[in-house]
Amino acid sequence: MQDVKRIFLQIETSRAYGRSMLRGIVEYSKKFGPWAFLHEEPFYHKNFNTVKQILAWKPDGIITRFPQKDIEQLRDHGIPIIVARHIEKDISGVPNVKGDNDGMGKMAGEYLLGLGFHEFGFCGLENMFWSENRCKAFEKVINDAGHSLNIYRPTKKRKTQRDDQQSLVEWLKSLPNPIAIMACNDDRGKQLIEAAKIAGIRIPDGIAVIGVDDDEVVCDLCYPSLSSVKLNVSRAGYETAKLLDEMMTKKSLLPNEIIVRPIGIARRQSTDVYCVEDHEVVKSLVYIRQNARYMIQVSDVADYVCLSKRALQLRFKKALGYSLYERIKKEKVNKMAELLTESTMSVLDIALYLGFSSINHISRFFKQERGCSPLEYRKRYSVR
């Protein structure tokens, strides 16, 4: 009978991030197990798992989001541990699962710039290194495009959630309008939307908001619903399980790291707007987004808005700072990346679906934008 590895998991199920990570871990177990899992005690149990209780179960490996003081004691017993850190910075001596915070800030910045905004803000959380890192990367993208960034600095007297909300209301009222704001995560994005309602500012016309994590429950609890940066958490969970398996087998594997990366934008009502005065350019943007799966050309867009190619190209470049062809290409690549990570379609089927005649053509097209082939991208970011 095949030995069953016993894995202790300290990963929350209350949020999309934790559930996605667990989904990836289970997917690996299905392929290379069997594994038996012991999960942390549910909320209605009074006693949380202590080190003594964990050791009594005799786990072969541990994946934890909440290491705190227990990690040293558990390591002393020779149990392989991976930390999918939540708030803490890197935990030394063990592999860490960490977020590509720079990539998240960069992706949000590029997306909001693509909506035509010229005023930008960032709303983060105090004393959270990942929030600060996302802010710095977001600010660089905005500064490089020739704009400045308004950063939320909470008042010192803020003590309660009500105080925080009032501080957000005052900050939003002080900002230029219209403005696009990146929130450090979806929870902060939801708080921004609620504060904007109290401030009497319309979303997305006055303020466009994007969060991070794509937690569908949180995003849809907002009205208008919250746009968000999507992350490849399930793939990271799969890679975490794979690394733990190697650690349990080889015992002496050196610490490594696994990166949770942004893979796209979940566009919802909070950014469903183009901050562009030229109506023909706005019509062009909508047409390109709605027809990204087809092999549209600059001439097709020009015909749709009833302008000459040259006239539309000049107006598009003036309004957004980049070419119409670049926009078509980016929308096409974004659609392909979405299909690679969220569907089981083969690369050939995706190529045909998007109007390409061969895999070679679409691979060159994709690699220019994303730096790797479609197959490599799928291996990195999809758990399927």
Side-chain angles (χ1 to χ4, degrees):
M1 182 176 177
Q2 187 176 359
D3 289 337
V4 176
K5 292 186 175 71
R6 300 155 69 88
I7 312 301
F8 180 71
L9 299 173
Q10 278 186 311
I11 300 174
E12 78 283 4
T13 57
S14 59
R15 309 313 295 260
Y17 190 102
R19 293 194 300 272
S20 295
M21 178 158 287
L22 289 169
R23 193 175 297 118
I25 293 169
V26 169
E27 190 66 27
Y28 181 87
S29 171
K30 288 178 182 177
K31 293 181 180 179
F32 302 102
W35 286 5
F37 296 106
L38 179 67
H39 203 258
E40 62 183 352
E41 297 280 5
F43 71 92
Y44 47 79
H45 283 199
K46 292 183 178 179
N47 295 322
F48 188 76
N49 290 292
T50 64
V51 171
K52 184 177 180 180
Q53 290 171 323
I54 294 171
L55 293 174
W57 193 64
K58 299 180 180 178
D60 296 295
I62 297 172
I63 302 173
T64 179
R65 289 264 283 160
F66 310 97
Q68 277 107 29
K69 62 183 180 181
D70 297 344
I71 194 156
E72 291 296 335
Q73 298 179 56
L74 293 168
R75 281 181 58 203
D76 289 343
H77 286 80
I79 303 171
I81 300 173
I82 297 179
V83 176
R85 59 196 175 94
H86 179 53
I87 297 176
E88 300 86 350
K89 294 188 177 181
D90 284 1
I91 306 297
S92 61
V94 297
N96 283 254
V97 182
K98 59 177 74 173
D100 177 13
N101 295 306
D102 289 350
M104 297 170 200
K106 182 174 183 290
M107 182 172 285
E110 291 175 348
Y111 171 70
L112 294 178
L113 283 167
L115 299 180
F117 283 87
H118 297 281
E119 299 288 347
F120 299 89
F122 182 90
C123 182
L125 291 168
E126 298 173 271
N127 304 317
M128 296 292 177
F129 72 95
W130 49 270
S131 176
E132 294 168 3
N133 291 345
R134 291 173 193 182
C135 180
K136 289 176 183 176
F138 181 73
E139 184 172 27
K140 184 178 187 309
V141 172
I142 300 307
N143 290 165
D144 288 349
H147 308 292
S148 59
L149 185 65
N150 298 275
I151 302 175
Y152 174 62
R153 309 288 186 190
T155 58
K156 297 294 183 181
K157 64 181 180 180
R158 183 177 61 97
K159 294 180 180 179
T160 66
Q161 285 189 350
R162 184 177 177 180
D163 293 335
D164 183 44
Q165 186 178 70
Q166 186 56 40
S167 181
L168 283 174
V169 169
E170 293 169 2
W171 179 63
L172 292 177
K173 285 182 175 179
S174 74
L175 297 175
N177 192 288
I179 189 170
I181 302 176
M182 177 186 180
C184 63
N185 62 9
D186 291 339
D187 291 317
R188 206 56 165 151
K190 181 176 180 295
Q191 291 168 349
L192 270 176
I193 288 176
E194 299 307 320
K197 292 177 189 176
I198 295 172
I201 303 172
R202 290 172 60 90
I203 295 175
D205 304 287
I207 295 175
V209 182
I210 187 169
V212 179
D213 285 339
D214 191 30
D215 189 318
E216 292 186 10
V217 174
V218 175
C219 293
D220 288 337
L221 275 174
C222 305
Y223 184 76
S225 56
L226 177 65
S227 296
S228 188
V229 178
K230 297 189 288 187
L231 309 177
N232 70 327
V233 185
S234 289
R235 182 67 198 186
Y238 185 93
E239 294 298 328
T240 299
K242 180 181 178 182
L243 178 57
L244 184 67
D245 200 9
E246 293 173 353
M247 294 171 69
M248 292 186 296
T249 302
K250 298 178 181 178
K251 302 297 183 184
S252 60
L253 192 71
L254 294 176
N256 208 327
E257 66 179 23
I258 293 163
I259 308 298
V260 177
R261 301 187 188 279
I263 56 173
I265 302 293
R267 180 173 180 145
R268 298 186 179 90
Q269 294 168 320
S270 70
T271 61
D272 191 14
V273 66
Y274 290 109
C275 189
V276 178
E277 293 182 359
D278 191 320
H279 294 300
E280 274 64 42
V281 172
V282 172
K283 287 173 64 178
S284 300
L285 289 166
V286 173
Y287 179 82
I288 294 167
R289 176 161 58 91
Q290 292 177 341
N291 294 276
R293 64 156 293 195
Y294 303 109
M295 287 301 290
I296 56 173
Q297 306 293 330
V298 172
S299 57
D300 297 317
V301 185
D303 289 343
Y304 177 76
V305 298
C306 301
L307 289 173
S308 70
K309 281 176 58 176
R310 177 163 176 76
L312 179 59
Q313 287 172 321
L314 289 172
R315 288 167 67 165
F316 197 95
K317 184 71 179 273
K318 180 181 179 181
L320 294 170
Y322 55 87
S323 74
L324 181 58
Y325 174 73
E326 286 178 288
R327 182 64 176 221
I328 294 172
K329 186 176 180 181
K330 183 174 286 293
E331 290 285 358
K332 179 77 71 174
V333 167
N334 289 343
K335 186 63 177 177
M336 184 174 186
E338 179 183 313
L339 292 170
L340 286 168
T341 56
E342 299 181 8
S343 80
T344 57
M345 295 170 65
S346 68
V347 176
L348 176 59
D349 286 341
I350 292 174
L352 297 174
Y353 178 78
L354 295 177
F356 290 89
S357 58
S358 71
I359 292 179
N360 290 337
H361 188 190
I362 197 172
S363 294
R364 287 196 301 272
F365 190 82
F366 189 86
K367 191 169 185 177
Q368 289 174 358
E369 285 291 308
R370 295 294 174 112
C372 63
S373 71
L375 277 176
E376 290 170 337
Y377 188 86
R378 171 167 273 173
K379 288 178 181 177
R380 290 181 191 177
Y381 301 119
S382 177
V383 75
R384 296 179 186 275

